[in-house]
Structure formats: structure tokens, C-alpha cells
Amino acid sequence: MNHVASSSTRLNRAWPGISLLLLASVFGCGTAPVTPTGEGVPWELAELRANTLSDVRYDFELKIPDSLESPIIGRVTASFNWDDPLGHDVVFDFLHPESRVRAVTANGASIALQAINDHVIVPASGLVLGSNTVILDYVAGDEALNRNEEFLYTLFVPERARFSLPVFDQPNLKARYTLTLDVPEGWTAIANGPLLEQESEGEGLDAENGRLLRFGETEPLPTYLFAFTAGKYEVEEREHNGRTVRMYHREPDADKLTRNRDALFDLHFSALDWLEDYTAIDYPFQKFDFILVPAFQYGGMEHAGAVFYRDRRLLLDESATQNDYLGRASLIAHETAHMWFGDLVTMNWFDDVWMKEVFANFMAAKIVHPSFPEVNHSLRFLLAHHTRAYGIDRTVGANPIRQPLENLNEAGSLYGAIIYNKAPIMMQQLELALGEDQFRDGMREYLDSYRYGNATWTDLVEILDQRLPEDLKEWSKVWVDQPGRPTISAGLTDARDHIEQLEFVQEDPSGASRVWPQAFSAVLGYRDSTVDRTVNLTGASVQLSEVSNLAMPNFILPDGSGQGYAYFRLDDRSREYLMDHLPDLSDATNRGAGWVTLWDAVLEREVEPEAFLDLCLRGLEQEEDEQNLQLIMSYLNPTFWRFLSVEERTGRAKQVEDVLWRGMDNAAATTLKGAFFGTYRTVALSPGAVSRLDQIWRGQLEVSGLQLSEDDRTGLAFDLAVRGVEGWDDILESQGQKIENPDRKARFDFIRPALDNDPGAREAFFESLRDVESRAHEPWVLSALRYLHHPLRAQDSVRFLAPSLELLEETQRTGDIFFPKGWLDASFGGHSSAEAVGVVRVFLDERPDYPHRLRAKILQSSDMLIRAAEISGSD
């Protein structure tokens, strides 16, 4: 039975106790004008519409001119059933309607434009109970259309459809879409629905620009998943199980395309096959295309039938690392999983946005297994999720997985490592508690019950709770509704030469006595062997009686399996042993968990950074697992740049460089050579190492066994410029002239001023970011900021921190920087000084009423800055 929520159940499920009478008191009723109280989409308005509107359909027509200076002209015919016994006006969401809406008709009658707070009001007097049709003629807003000279693409998540189109912009009012595009000659277009016809002239909108393309009606979708792109694209296609899958791209490098093409199709095919089998539901949309978009803001976006990807994430260079290949496969699996988790079944409101992301990431971890049989996937899960989630949950700004949301214009601030990385860890714990089969059957029931509709976390809990003896509602309170992680330690009582008692204790760092029920595998280490024991920590403590009478171990690694979630505090004996012998452990997952645990100890100042650096260098020379090697490199970089003083860093530079260069020379796999070389580039500091980079860029020295791409050489030019080598400007000029791809050339030209050796030029670049149009390409902006705030430039760039913080609210309001933490990380990432810490503290102290979500992002992002200042002794 299809359990798509009705209007009345939708409201009560999401907001118990809210009634139509209360909504009427907020918005007025009858023919009285509706007066939304501000910008964005407040939940009161969204729930009113969810309870009074149904069977929504949009028919969009858009004329796209060949000049960026000319506006895009549009018309939308919106039809819907209206069932409102209190007679509220109907409200469309649209940015700046007073200057953009040209005409409004309701059921064939022209009505005067009523524009209030980025909304268009259609009075109840122009509507009838039952079926209605409203037509709006308008100028489309460029804000969410990402217009470029040769292409454009939409990006409407989370509530940016209203920036460009008049819609009911909320996830729980799904609609069917048809689309007609009039595009310039030589352009093609891709949308959610299938292309039905192309012609030079047509009714409604004449093909003034050259081509008219009509797309068929879609399945029910929320506005954030409605999408199209148009431009000069090339297309490749493959057949799989009777389905034609198309890839659209703008890549002129035929060799790069040939190297990657088959893998891209195969990874999509394997993901589709796996998901159909796991969910027992056939692919739920009419077609499957994917588009490789230059400078796309995210890694990917799961538009039903038309998945958008950032081209650089899928078209890998020959110097790509194992992490690059695994990351690409995971990204493809993630976006494909969204076709079921997020697109077929959509969250009711964006407070549950994490639900679509958790299943996409959790399923992706399973999907990639068959494509990489040589990879340790337990280790992969640990390194992909725990390290990022810990990076938030150890901070004072930590947020819960599920967060309340009053207005959709704040939805962007909900995204981050907690929903992308902690939530899959939580789901893994839930699967361990239920068992794989029971968990899978629960997922099938959930998807089948709410297909093409909306659901909440509570809906899923009710389904899974029937399969679990424990109270899942109580379990989810600490895991889902509250932030943080416990501290777990092992307490050992010995009786001379053997264990008398081993107890694991968890503590709540907040002092609230919370308990995180979880299972993990503890490792007891001996000279030539280890003993693993499962720990089911359902309360504040648990004793492992089965280890009694075992010999006293050299160390205890509380979470050797990497499944648990906590700050696993090592006892002194274990910490000292692992600092001496971690690279010697025989099991790769144990070693990976050990590195993660010791990194926590470094951040808690229980391990000295120079001693940890020594351990990293030994690990790089002994470690055989490529994932662990890249983990060690990821820890070496901040240790070198942020935790050492300038004197210590200068004194250790050559030693670090030599270990990395030897590692590259000795690596058998090209992917590993690429990882060593990439890290060598980032830490190169001594005159000899910088000279070596210069010779490589000039072609005077080859990197044995590694073919460097155009992007690699561009990166080398940037590395040399930021180090201020002689002739840095000529290097940049020469490299820029070698770039033939117009999209990559535009990126190069944008970033170049941030690398200038003249502080005044760098200041001019930063000031340019105050212009919203200069922030149009988020990946470019963040890359440029990282160079601007490189550790070698930190003493000068600290002056940009305060204005960067001041711009944060604006970037959220305009929506050009979707991830606020990305902006902050790029700004803080090169700093470790007391002065930089002071800037953050003054900013927050002077603004006690600063938006709480953005305050939390600042606290999260500045956590490493504060720790670095303390550890390096500069604070």
C-alpha cells in the first residue's frame, strides 16, 4: 500500500499541535491579504500550503539568449488543487517579484501583482475550490542559473528555485514538471524529463534563438530537484539492461576522456544494479543522464534523471591517487543512491535533510565494494567518516545530526560533516543492532511505503522499531538529536602476570551523563599477536569477563575495528607502546584505528607534535596499505605547518622532504606515487626542494613513473608562486598561456591574483570578493582563499580574517557560498597564531546575538586554529 502522506497527516507528523486555526492567525484568511513576515520560506507558510494544495504541476517555458547581458524571459503555468476551508490566499515564492513579474493570471482572469517579501500573492477571490491554473510571466533571476558564456545550469538546493523561478519552494509539496527551452544555435539541453522533440519554431515561445526543446513530464519531485542545463556539450552514451545512459561533458582533452569514460559508465551501471537489488525497487525515473559541469559548486547533485557532477571529480588525471579513485566511485554511488533515498522518498522538511545524505553515504560504502576487491573497506569506512565527523564533534560548536529549522533560507547551514559522516556511523551502529537482513527489509518497507512522497525520521523509526528489541526512540535521542561524542577508556586490573578485570567506561564530556549505545572491537596487543574482543557498551560501563586470566597485554586499543564512535583515551602504557610500535602492528585496520586514536591524543596535548611527526615519518617508510599511507600524509601536513614553530619547521623540512621523495621513488603503484608527490609539493620548504619543484615545472627533471597533467603543472606553478620564487610572475604567465581548455583557463585567471607577491595585489583580490558576482564560482573562491591564507603568507593575510568573518552572513544571504564552513576553513586553514585566535574571539565577543548556526560554524572551523596556537606555543 502506498503511504504517501495526505495533507493533514503531513502537518501533524512534522509539527504536532499546529492547527489550521493557528496558521490562519499567522497568515490571515478569507480575502484578507496574506503578509509573509520575511524573506525565505518559513515553515508556517510551507505547512499551510502542504495542507491546502495538492496535485501540483508546473509547465515552464524559458527563452535563453546567447548574450549574458540579456535577461532570460519565462512563463510558468502552475496548476493545482486548492482545498482551503478558511480561504487563505495562495503564495508563490520568487525573489524580487516587484521588478521581475510581468503579468499574473488566475483561471484565465488577469490579476494585479501583489508582491510582498519575495512572494507573489494570488488572492483567494481569484481561486476556486478544486482545480486552478495560475500563469506568471516573468524575468528569470540569474542568481540560481549559473550563467556562463557557453553554458548555464540550475542549482536549486535547498530553496534557491525561488531565486530564479516562481514556485512553491518547499520539499513536501512535490510536483510534476514539463519544460520548454528556447536555446541559442549550437546548444543542447538536458533536464529531468525525457527530451520529446526539437524544432526551430513552436507555439507559445517562438524559437527566436535557434532551437526549441520540449521535455516530457517528470515524476513527482520537490523544487530543489528540478533541474536543467543548456550549452555547448558533447555527449557519450552506453546501453545497459535496456536503458540508454548518456554522459554530457565539455572536456576537449580526448586522452583524458578516453582514460575515464568506460569507468564512469561502469561505476554508474554497478550502482544502479546494486540499488535495484538491495531495495527491490526498479530505477524509479524515466531516464538516467549525468553531466560533467566545470566549476560545479559541489562534488555532485542528485537531480532525478540528470545528475550533475563537478568535472574534476570524475575526469581524473594519470597522477590520481587511490583516494581519488575511491572518492570518485563513492561519489557516483552516493548520487545514484539518492535516486531512491531523497528523490523517490524525500524528507518532509529540511530538518531531516540528513536522512537523504546518510543513506546515500551509507549505501555508497556498500556499493563500491565489488569495484575495488583489493581495498580494505572496513578501513575505508573508518577513514572516510570518523576523521571528518570527529573534526566537528570534538569542537565546542558541535551540532546534532537533526537540527530544528524555522526557515528554509537557513537550510544551507545544516550541511556538513555531521550529516555526511557522523550519520553513516550512527546508521552502521543501527545496522549492527538490527542485523543486516532486518535493516535491509526495513529500508525496503520504508521506500515502498513512501515512494514518490515525503517521510520523516519518525516514520522510519516506527518501521525499524518493530524490528529492534530496544527502544529506538530513546536510542536516537543521543545519536541523532544531540551533539558530541563520549570519552571511552579501558580500565585494566592486573594480578601480577595476567588480567584480572577489564572494564570499558564511557563518560559524557558535557557532564549530562548521556550514554551512546554502541558496539566495537577492542584489541589487546602482545609482542607477536593480538586478541580481538567485541564490546557491547549499552550503558555507562561494561566488563569483559572473557579476557580474565589472559596475559597482561602490551597495549589496549579500545576501538581496533574502527566501528565505535568516541574519543578513545589511551592509558599511559598503551599510548607509549603505540608511539613506539604502531607501524609494526600486523593488521591494517588496527593500524588505521591507532593513527586516528593517536591523532586525537595529539590534539588533546597528550602527545608532543615533534614526537608524532617522527612517528609519521617512520610510518611512511614502513606502512604498506595505501589508505593508511594517505592518512599519515593527511596528519603530517597540519603537524608540519601548524603545530611546529617556524624554527622547528625549518629545522625539520629537509628530513620530511627526503622521506616523501624516497617514498615516491620506491612506490610501485602510480596512485601511491601521486600521493607522495602531492604531499611533497605541499610541504616543500627548503631551497633544495623548492628548486626541485621548479625544475619539474620547467621540464628539466622528470618524476619517475608519474605522468604529470596540465592540472598538475598548474598546481606546481601555483606552489612556486606562493613560495615567491624568482620569476614567479613569468612562471604564472607561461603556465596560463599553455592552458587551452577555456573553463580551466577561467579558473586559472581567477585564482592568479591571490598568488601575487605584492601584498597590495592580494588585498585588491580579497576586496573583489565583496562583489557577489566575484563569488559566483564557489570552488574557485575557496581555492584562491587557501592560497591567500597559505602558512607562508599567514603573517600578512591575518588582516583578512576579520573582514572574512564580516562577509559570512552576506555569503549565506546571497547563497553564492553554500558551505559556510568551507569559506571559514579556507580562511583559517593557514593560521596558527595568537593574533588570528584573537580576531575570532573579538568577533564573537562583540556579537552576542550573532546567528547561532553561523556562530557554531565559526567555532567548528576555528577549533583547529585555537589548538594549533596552543600546541605550537604561539598562544
Side-chain angles (χ1 to χ4, degrees), residues 30 91 105 170 187 246 322 377 472 530 663 745 756 796 857:
V91 180
T105 65
Q170 60 191 79
W187 284 31
R246 297 176 180 85
Q322 185 187 64
H377 290 282
L472 186 53
T530 58
K745 181 61 164 61
D756 203 290
D796 173 70
K857 296 296 183 185

Side-chain angles (χ1 to χ4, degrees), residues 323-613:
N323 276 357
D324 293 329
Y325 284 103
L326 286 168
R328 178 176 72 178
S330 295
L331 174 61
I332 289 171
H334 175 107
E335 302 304 338
T336 308
H338 269 313
M339 300 300 108
W340 285 260
F341 297 96
D343 294 9
L344 177 63
V345 179
T346 307
M347 67 277 171
N348 189 64
W349 189 244
F350 262 88
D351 57 351
D352 275 331
V353 65
W354 68 275
M355 288 182 65
K356 72 184 185 74
E357 301 303 339
V358 64
F359 288 120
N361 261 359
F362 188 63
M363 297 301 163
K366 296 175 179 290
I367 292 168
V368 299
H369 283 211
S371 299
F372 296 87
E374 76 284 2
V375 168
N376 181 332
H377 290 282
S378 296
L379 179 60
R380 167 68 179 166
F381 191 91
L382 165 68
L383 304 188
H385 296 299
H386 288 68
T387 55
R388 295 182 178 94
Y390 286 172
I392 303 299
D393 255 349
R394 68 166 64 95
T395 77
V396 295
N399 58 269
I401 292 174
R402 190 175 196 260
Q403 303 177 67
L405 183 68
E406 294 77 25
N407 193 310
L408 286 182
N409 63 8
E410 298 179 5
S413 63
L414 302 183
Y415 287 81
I418 293 301
I419 68 170
Y420 283 112
N421 302 114
K422 181 180 180 178
I425 298 167
M426 176 275 293
M427 203 58 67
Q428 182 186 58
Q429 287 291 327
L430 184 55
E431 185 184 55
L432 286 171
L434 281 163
E436 290 188 11
D437 291 346
Q438 285 286 349
F439 182 85
R440 180 205 59 210
D441 292 346
M443 292 301 101
R444 289 177 173 179
E445 181 181 348
Y446 165 75
L447 291 171
D448 187 55
S449 297
Y450 296 98
R451 61 169 70 197
Y452 299 113
N454 300 88
T456 69
W457 171 237
T458 302
D459 296 324
L460 179 57
V461 166
E462 289 175 357
I463 290 173
L464 296 181
D465 215 10
Q466 301 171 18
R467 293 172 163 80
L468 190 69
E470 294 82 6
D471 185 351
L472 186 53
K473 296 181 180 67
E474 288 299 315
W475 185 93
S476 73
K477 283 182 181 179
V478 67
W479 275 104
V480 176
D481 296 329
Q482 298 176 24
R485 60 176 182 166
T487 298
I488 295 178
S489 55
L492 185 66
T493 305
D494 66 282
R496 294 187 180 177
D497 60 348
H498 66 273
I499 298 173
E500 183 173 306
Q501 178 178 299
L502 178 58
E503 182 179 37
F504 289 88
V505 178
Q506 66 168 299
E507 301 174 63
D508 181 357
S510 72
S513 300
R514 295 174 297 171
V515 171
W516 286 257
Q518 57 183 293
F520 51 88
S521 179
V523 173
L524 283 67
Y526 298 89
R527 182 174 180 177
D528 299 315
S529 64
T530 58
V531 174
D532 295 358
R533 289 292 183 267
T534 299
V535 180
N536 287 302
L537 189 55
T538 57
S541 64
V542 65
Q543 292 186 9
L544 296 190
S545 58
E546 64 268 27
V547 301
S548 297
N549 296 319
L550 287 179
M552 283 294 296
N554 293 324
F555 70 91
I556 298 174
L557 186 58
D559 182 32
S561 64
Q563 291 179 318
Y565 189 80
Y567 167 38
F568 290 99
R569 177 179 288 144
L570 298 168
D571 62 90
D572 292 345
R573 174 189 173 106
S574 297
R575 184 169 57 251
E576 291 171 6
Y577 186 90
L578 289 172
M579 285 296 295
D580 288 336
H581 300 286
L582 176 59
D584 304 325
L585 301 188
S586 60
D587 183 82
T589 303
N590 291 170
R591 294 195 302 274
W595 283 107
V596 172
T597 303
L598 284 177
W599 179 247
D600 258 340
V602 172
L603 298 181
E604 296 299 327
R605 304 186 70 178
E606 295 174 352
V607 170
E608 291 297 321
E610 283 211 80
F612 186 73
L613 180 63

